[in-house]
């Protein structure tokens, strides 16, 4: 049981690492949104699922409710994260930022 | 130039909101008693589940408070969550939608691994080639279009930039491999899930 | 198990520092918004880890839920606010 929890947690941390590195490495703001908005979402899903499983160790009604609340956070983030990403893209487009294309200087 | 641009944008906005108003009035608030009943009950059940989950207290006082507030909220906003006035297709639609979720999860995981490869690859910056892909979707209803747009955004490598009510999509794709297969299989699966073959 | 949680949350804090670089030195305002969004989603996990470390998850899970919602609303409000601003970046208008 503990092994599954640790595996899920570390997989989540791995995706979080990818998200943070992607924000630093990618050349412009549109491509930075790809790791930021979505690698983070999957990382949150994996690590919070692991923590919800760990929370069920000593089973009781309260622990079950807490785990369900953690799953509720995951569901909420899955609905909210694409919307937030889309809002940021929209702000960039309306402010007139042109997307980076291959061969240009990074910014 | 900037002034001009802003004006066209505003007029576009106005056109947009007018369009959505028309759609809203044609669907119409279902004030017919029988048609009003099913969305009300479904919303009420979902609200009660959320109340019990968030409060975690099972004594009579808290439960009665929950039932009262759930009934009020469900009465005022029952036509938000289930906008379709037909009760028959409501449940089967949600069941079919639930079968779409696991496929989406597999797709998200595959695409996430692809973007991880781009991020961690030492020459990854030479491999990305961002461009804007435009295509027209054949989906009709608002809910299907929104689901499609959110699914595109959730699969990494592609972000929905704009959607129009007619189904014109603009998608920012990070490289050729993730941009080319659009709209593809995902659109067919959403069409099946919402009964728009 | 407590050690694993402790070091995971320290590692997440380190990743937040990496994202903070983009928030401080990011060339445009939208870059800073991306950074805020990324830091917020990591904070949600860190809050639950803290709850597990102090054996009070039932309390911290509510804070995490509220924080996730607040993060979403903050990003949405910021992007609505900045989208009418011209000249975030001096280039021709792109549609």
């Amino acid at each position: 049981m503990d092994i599954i929890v640790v595996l899920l947690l570390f997989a989540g941390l791995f995706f979080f690492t990818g998200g943070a590195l992607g924000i630093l490495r990618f050349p412009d703001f549109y491509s930075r949104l790809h790791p930021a908005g979505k690698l983070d979402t999957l990382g949150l899903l994996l690590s919070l699922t692991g923590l919800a499983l760990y929370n069920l160790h000593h089973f009781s009604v309260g622990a079950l409710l807490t785990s369900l609340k953690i799953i509720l956070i995951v569901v909420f983030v899955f609905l909210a994260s694409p919307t937030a990403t889309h809002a940021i893209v929209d702000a960039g487009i309306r402010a007139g930022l042109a997307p980076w294309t291959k061969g240009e200087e990074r910014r | 130039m900037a002034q001009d641009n802003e004006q066209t944008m505003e007029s576009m906005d106005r056109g947009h909101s007018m369009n959505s108003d028309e759609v809203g009035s044609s669907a119409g608030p279902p004030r017919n008693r029988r048609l009003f009943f099913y969305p009300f009950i479904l919303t009420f059940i979902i609200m009660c589940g959320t109340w019990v989950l968030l409060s975690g207290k099972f004594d009579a006082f808290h439960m009665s408070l929950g039932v009262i507030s759930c009934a009020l909220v469900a009465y005022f906003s029952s036509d938000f969550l289930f906008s379709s006035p037909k009760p028959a297709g409501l449940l089967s639609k949600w069941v079919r939608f639930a079968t779409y979720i696991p496929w989406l999860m597999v797709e998200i995981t595959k695409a996430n691994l692809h973007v991880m490869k781009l991020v961690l690859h030492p020459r990854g910056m030479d491999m990305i080639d961002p461009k804007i892909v435009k295509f027209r979707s054949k989906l009709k209803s608002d809910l299907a279009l929104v689901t499609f747009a959110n699914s595109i955004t959730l699969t990494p490598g592609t972000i929905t930039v704009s959607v129009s009510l007619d189904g014109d999509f603009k998608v920012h794709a990070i490289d050729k491999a993730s941009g080319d297969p659009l709209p593809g299989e995902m659109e067919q699966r959403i069409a099946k899930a919402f009964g728009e073959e | 198990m407590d050690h694993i949680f402790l070091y995971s949350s320290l590692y997440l804090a380190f990743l937040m520092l990496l994202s903070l670089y983009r928030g401080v030195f990011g060339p445009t305002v939208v870059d800073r918004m991306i950074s805020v969004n990324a830091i917020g989603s990591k904070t949600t996990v860190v809050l639950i880890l803290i709850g597990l470390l102090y054996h009070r998850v039932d309390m911290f899970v509510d804070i995490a839920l509220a924080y996730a919602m607040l993060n979403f609303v903050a990003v949405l409000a910021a992007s609505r606010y900045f989208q009418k601003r011209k000249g975030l970046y001096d280039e021709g208008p792109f549609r």
Side-chain angles (χ1 to χ4, degrees):
Chain A
M1 189 72 175
D2 276 359
I3 297 171
I4 301 174
V5 171
V6 170
L7 272 182
L8 280 172
L9 185 61
F10 279 9
L13 288 186
F14 176 65
F15 281 111
F16 272 131
T17 314
L21 284 180
I23 292 177
L24 287 185
R25 284 193 68 190
F26 276 4
D28 84 321
F29 127 77
Y30 292 100
S31 44
R32 269 175 215 141
L33 264 175
H34 290 273
K38 295 168 300 191
L39 288 180
D40 277 10
T41 312
L42 191 68
L44 194 125
L45 167 79
L46 289 172
S47 47
L48 283 194
T49 313
L51 294 184
L53 274 180
Y54 177 78
N55 191 42
L56 283 178
H57 235 87
H58 311 286
F59 189 83
S60 66
V61 177
L64 183 68
L65 276 177
T66 311
S67 290
L68 281 177
K69 269 186 212 171
I70 297 179
I71 301 299
L72 187 69
I73 294 179
V74 173
V75 171
F76 175 75
V77 167
F78 254 79
L79 289 178
S81 170
T83 316
T85 310
H86 176 71
I88 296 177
V89 167
D90 208 38
I93 289 278
R94 293 200 181 202
L97 300 180
W100 180 85
T101 46
K102 199 165 182 143
E104 279 180 42
E105 199 179 337
R106 55 170 294 132
R107 47 188 185 231
Chain B
M1 184 64 201
Q3 187 89 25
D4 196 5
N5 197 15
E6 197 154 6
Q7 257 179 2
T8 53
M9 209 133 63
E10 267 180 11
S11 64
M12 261 178 67
D13 270 351
R14 213 174 296 129
H16 214 78
S17 61
M18 266 167 64
N19 266 345
S20 63
D21 274 348
E22 275 169 26
V23 169
S25 62
S26 72
R31 283 306 161 197
N32 188 330
R33 176 173 285 266
R34 186 175 155 70
L35 298 185
F36 178 67
F37 186 67
Y38 287 96
F40 175 77
I41 289 295
L42 279 175
T43 314
F44 182 70
I45 291 170
I46 292 176
M47 290 290 153
C48 279
T50 319
W51 175 278
V52 170
L53 188 62
L54 286 181
S55 87
K57 292 196 171 79
F58 295 102
D59 53 289
F61 176 66
H62 287 96
M63 289 304 271
S64 55
L65 270 188
V67 167
I68 291 169
S69 49
C70 288
L72 274 177
V73 170
Y75 179 75
F76 284 127
S77 57
S78 60
D79 46 352
F80 284 168
L81 199 51
F82 303 97
S83 57
S84 143
K86 276 184 290 254
L90 216 59
L91 204 62
S92 63
K93 195 190 243 179
W94 279 78
V95 168
R96 265 180 297 165
F97 183 68
T99 58
Y100 167 70
I101 300 286
W103 179 81
L104 183 67
M105 295 307 298
V106 172
E107 213 51 23
I108 287 173
T109 314
K110 270 196 295 192
N112 261 305
L113 288 174
H114 178 71
V115 173
M116 276 306 282
K117 200 188 76 190
L118 281 182
V119 169
L120 294 181
H121 198 282
R123 293 175 46 77
M125 291 312 102
D126 302 331
M127 286 156 67
I128 72 173
D129 178 17
K131 62 175 181 189
I132 304 254
V133 184
K134 292 178 190 170
F135 62 89
R136 194 183 184 92
S137 164
K138 60 180 186 200
L139 297 171
K140 289 286 182 300
S141 72
D142 296 357
L143 196 60
L145 280 175
V146 168
T147 313
F148 189 34
N150 264 9
S151 309
I152 286 176
T153 306
L154 265 178
T155 41
T158 46
I159 292 182
T160 311
V161 172
S162 71
V163 193
S164 78
L165 274 175
D166 313 323
D168 284 322
F169 277 75
K170 265 196 215 164
V171 175
H172 183 267
I174 200 168
D175 65 349
K176 267 186 102 57
S178 48
D180 280 347
L182 284 170
E185 197 190 348
M186 186 185 276
E187 187 185 19
Q188 283 163 18
R189 286 199 179 246
I190 290 179
K192 204 189 275 176
F194 284 93
E196 292 185 10
E197 287 288 61
Chain C
M1 212 60 185
D2 273 4
H3 283 285
I4 293 176
F5 289 157
L6 180 61
Y7 287 116
S8 317
S9 39
L10 281 177
Y11 180 65
L12 275 174
F14 170 68
L15 287 184
M16 278 188 219
L17 274 182
L18 285 188
S19 312
L20 194 62
Y21 172 85
R22 200 39 89 193
V24 175
F25 296 105
T28 62
V29 176
V30 266
D31 280 308
R32 295 173 218 269
M33 282 198 292
I34 295 173
S35 156
V36 167
N37 197 5
I39 291 178
S41 65
K42 290 176 184 64
T43 310
T44 316
V45 180
V46 170
L47 275 174
I48 298 210
L49 280 170
I50 292 174
L52 283 171
L53 282 177
Y54 284 101
H55 304 288
R56 284 306 304 266
V57 208
D58 50 343
M59 195 168 80
F60 274 85
V61 78
D62 291 338
I63 303 174
L65 184 59
Y67 193 88
M69 290 183 175
L70 213 58
N71 183 37
F72 172 59
V73 172
V75 168
L76 216 58
S79 57
R80 287 292 112 173
Y81 177 66
F82 283 115
Q83 78 177 7
K84 294 288 180 197
R85 295 288 169 98
K86 297 291 168 189
L88 284 183
Y89 211 74
D90 40 15
E91 261 187 59
F94 166 76
R95 294 290 297 166

